[in-house]
Amino acid sequence: MLSREADVVVVGSGLAGLTAALTLYQSGRAPLLIRDPETPAATARSGGWFRCATGGYTAERHFLDTLAAGGYLAQRSLARAMAEDAPSARQLLEAAGVRTRDTDTGFAVEGAGRPPGEVLTGCLRGALEGAGVRTLEALAWDVLVAPDGGSVTGLLAYDRSAAGWVAITTPAVVLATGGAAGLYPYTSHSPSATGDGLAAAFRAGAVLADMEFVQFWPVAAGEPDEAGGVWRCLEPRLLGGMRLVSGERDVTEDAGLPAFLDGRIGPGELARRIYEQVMGQFAARQEEATVVLTPGDPSGPGATAAGVIVPVPVRPVAHHTLGGVVCGDHGQTRVHGLVVAGEAVAGSHGADRLRGSGLTEALVTGWRAGKYVAGLPGGTGVPPGDVERGARERVRRVMALLESTQPGAPRPQDAVRRIALAMWRHAALVRTRESLDAAQSELNKIKRAMPFSCETGTSTEIWAALKALNVLLVAEAVIRSARYRKESRGLHFRADFPEQDDAEWLRHVRVKLVSGEMSLDASGGLEPMEP
Ligand SMILES: Cc1cc2nc3c(=O)[nH]c(=O)nc-3n(C[C@H](O)[C@H](O)[C@H](O)COP(=O)(O)OP(=O)(O)OC[C@H]3O[C@@H](n4cnc5c(N)ncnc54)[C@H](O)[C@@H]3O)c2cc1C
């Protein structure tokens, strides 16, 4: 095992992590940036569109729009910070060379022919490289915490290319590890975006919340394959004049495409109805229908829309995770020195989110986390030798979960595929108590058959097995939270509880670790979600 020391560790090189690292550097601290090269940042794929006070669109309006979109479940202090700080945080982007232009409700990154998300990450990474900020390519596995559980002492990471573990002594870790849309086989995100940071924070003693709220983009184009396929989100402006066809049946009206295009239903409702067209067939025939998008009247509007190849298989795809780690306004969690930023934060949006607010959340929470951690004292007060001993014990425990020689022991890659399928069939856009029980039962079968079998013992297989352990944890948090919330709100639809129930459920479902077991409760009122 390699041992290192760092003033502060920032995990993740999406917008939140890069912003936190740059802010720390500018405040005189020396961050070490860790990123998993196998998990591309959502930021790099994004459209580069930010919700932000500009011109006639005020911060107050942004705040109120966020609350309304989120079914009044956003943590108000986080939503307010996002709205009020966005214009100042924008300046950090511009200082790093990101060119932006105002829009009606925010600003957009100027790509000058390049994808805006890549411009965003490229400029920020360039600024960090220019400043000499160190980077380590590895999978952050566990946050190390002092024996009393109160504060961070280090981080344990797995370096796949060197096939070895790295123990880093540090008093502060910023987890900016993004979301978990990769729990589902069909996603606009990277399939390996499966919520590793949420799992690490949870094991360290932090609390998760709002995990039942998963956003699906309603119409994405691609081809399903063994691994799920690669899906490209289609903008609403490309859908005018299009027909949705399932088998021989025209399902345009049933799926609500015209209602969506003229604003009578939102993207969440459209996604749910298209999902029903696909999954309705699945329930009847045990096979999924293919829904294709075709031009309607050849002279109709949109039939010639640029960029759409027709007919093309389409479906809703998992896009964004609204749940995450419970934190205060600077990302601080109940574990001193453990701070979260970006999509890994719980509560910025509530039960649904506004377009453009994913990047704004990442920018503002990264900026605030950086400023907060810059003010924390350096040093852990724990000798690096002690941290390394603790890390070795963690490695021993986790490797025991990966070294089965029993015939029939699950292979990590197979387990992840089975879980993804169960999430899509039973815990996606339409949920019931029975479906969620079926999803949980699939997880239980895998857990009962563990430890995993890593026959080859290669670093690729160990990396996959670590990911699989996190997938088990995060999928269970989603399933159990969805089962706990007995109403429909925002992105969470329970066919057995189709109404929104404000009297009972204007609350956050929280997931905690109690005596080594996952335990759920609902926190009363809207706020505070105490750190
Ligand atoms: C196709 C697409 C388009 C989008 N377009 C927009 C848009 O136009 N506007 C908008 O507001 N939002 C958009 N979003 C959402 C937005 O991109 C995200 O909310 C935002 O980028 C999240 O930023 P982040 O820094 O929190 O996470 P990410 O950008 O996902 O970065 C996470 C980082 O963490 C690293 N990581 C994860 N786990 C580990 C680990 N265990 N160890 C080490 N590193 C790890 C990853 O490698 C990655 O570098 C879009 C999303 C998608 C998928």
Side-chain angles (χ1 to χ4, degrees):
M1 176 182 293
L2 273 178
S3 282
R4 294 181 71 158
E5 288 183 53
D7 180 22
V8 178
V9 171
V10 175
V11 187
S13 64
L15 180 57
L18 294 170
T19 304
L22 197 54
T23 307
L24 277 157
Y25 169 77
Q26 288 168 348
S27 310
R29 303 295 293 254
L32 169 67
L33 185 68
I34 300 190
R35 71 181 194 101
D36 176 14
E38 309 302 323
T39 308
T43 306
R45 298 174 176 227
S46 74
W49 201 99
F50 289 70
R51 175 85 49 163
C52 176
T54 36
Y57 191 71
T58 62
E60 187 62 16
R61 189 70 260 151
H62 182 181
F63 169 65
L64 294 173
D65 286 350
T66 301
L67 294 190
Y72 294 93
L73 204 63
Q75 186 180 348
R76 282 167 192 248
S77 52
L78 286 178
R80 190 169 278 290
M82 182 164 69
E84 289 183 352
D85 284 2
S88 309
R90 176 181 180 180
Q91 290 169 18
L92 175 141
L93 291 183
E94 285 167 357
V98 180
R99 295 185 54 194
T100 62
R101 67 181 153 77
D102 282 0
T103 64
D104 287 352
T105 53
F107 63 91
V109 171
E110 298 271 42
R114 285 176 59 208
E118 287 178 17
V119 170
L120 202 49
T121 47
C123 286
L124 289 169
R125 283 173 77 165
L128 286 168
E129 276 161 24
V133 168
R134 292 174 304 156
T135 302
L136 173 69
E137 293 202 336
L139 177 78
W141 168 248
D142 258 351
V143 177
L144 304 169
V145 176
D148 66 3
S151 54
V152 169
T153 57
L155 183 92
L156 175 64
Y158 185 71
D159 181 343
R160 178 170 157 175
S161 60
W165 291 90
V166 188
I168 304 158
T169 301
T170 182
V173 173
V174 179
L175 287 177
T177 44
L183 288 179
Y184 294 85
Y186 311 114
T187 178
S188 59
H189 205 323
S190 154
S192 61
T194 46
D196 293 321
L198 309 188
F202 183 75
R203 283 192 294 268
V207 176
L208 306 181
D210 293 350
M211 293 298 291
E212 64 276 34
F213 299 116
V214 179
Q215 185 184 37
F216 284 76
W217 189 272
V219 191
E223 279 286 357
D225 63 22
E226 274 267 288
V230 176
W231 297 88
R232 187 170 56 89
C233 299
L234 295 183
E235 289 290 329
R237 70 186 159 77
L238 295 177
L239 303 178
M242 296 288 163
R243 312 294 301 170
L244 286 166
V245 178
S246 171
E248 299 292 298
R249 216 155 51 89
D250 188 320
V251 297
T252 312
E253 299 293 327
D254 289 353
L257 185 58
F260 170 70
L261 290 174
D262 65 22
R264 279 176 288 137
I265 65 169
E269 176 71 17
L270 176 67
R272 187 153 54 244
R273 294 210 207 162
I274 296 177
Y275 176 81
E276 281 169 338
Q277 301 301 327
V278 179
M279 297 306 290
Q281 298 243 354
F282 177 81
R285 294 204 232 132
Q286 289 291 299
E287 66 185 37
E288 284 193 10
T290 306
V291 176
V292 295
L293 194 64
T294 65
D297 173 359
S299 62
T304 56
V308 181
I309 305 158
V310 289
V312 60
V314 291
R315 63 177 58 225
V317 294
H319 185 62
H320 191 93
T321 314
L322 275 72
V325 181
V326 173
C327 65
D329 302 351
H330 305 281
Q332 75 277 28
T333 69
R334 53 151 63 178
V335 181
H336 184 70
L338 175 57
V339 176
V340 287
E343 198 173 332
V345 165
S348 302
H349 314 288
D352 199 346
R353 79 167 171 95
L354 289 172
R355 282 201 74 187
S357 57
L359 288 175
T360 308
E361 175 192 42
L363 177 64
V364 171
T365 55
W367 191 55
R368 290 176 72 91
K371 285 196 291 183
Y372 169 75
V373 174
L376 294 178
T380 58
V382 180
D386 288 5
V387 174
E388 194 185 317
R389 256 189 301 284
R392 282 190 190 285
E393 175 55 20
R394 297 289 185 109
V395 171
R396 194 190 59 72
R397 270 191 266 158
V398 71
M399 291 308 286
L401 297 172
L402 314 184
E403 291 179 337
S404 175
T405 50
Q406 296 299 316
R411 291 186 60 242
Q413 294 92 330
D414 296 340
V416 168
R417 223 167 284 134
R418 278 169 62 187
I419 295 167
L421 212 54
M423 293 301 285
W424 170 252
R425 290 179 184 165
H426 306 304
L429 282 138
V430 180
R431 299 151 172 186
T432 61
R433 160 92 187 253
E434 286 69 32
S435 76
L436 294 164
D437 284 349
Q440 183 66 49
S441 152
E442 185 68 358
L443 297 193
N444 293 345
K445 276 187 218 154
I446 294 168
K447 285 202 277 185
R448 276 198 300 271
M450 281 179 63
F452 286 129
S453 149
C454 292
E455 283 166 5
T456 61
T458 58
S459 60
T460 302
E461 201 169 31
I462 290 173
W463 177 89
L466 295 172
K467 297 283 294 181
L469 291 172
N470 285 341
V471 165
L472 273 170
L473 192 159
V474 181
E476 180 157 355
V478 173
I479 294 165
R480 290 184 59 179
S481 301
R483 195 172 179 280
Y484 200 94
R485 181 176 290 283
K486 295 180 185 59
E487 65 151 359
S488 294
R489 179 185 301 272
L491 301 166
H492 170 68
F493 181 73
R494 285 279 302 254
D496 45 355
F497 295 100
E499 303 301 327
Q500 182 166 312
D501 177 359
D502 285 342
E504 187 61 28
W505 283 108
L506 209 44
R507 297 188 290 161
H508 300 275
V509 176
R510 302 192 298 189
V511 188
K512 297 178 182 172
L513 193 59
V514 179
S515 309
E517 296 291 327
M518 194 178 274
S519 164
L520 278 77
D521 68 14
S523 75
L526 283 174
E527 64 175 321
M529 292 201 336
E530 72 274 13

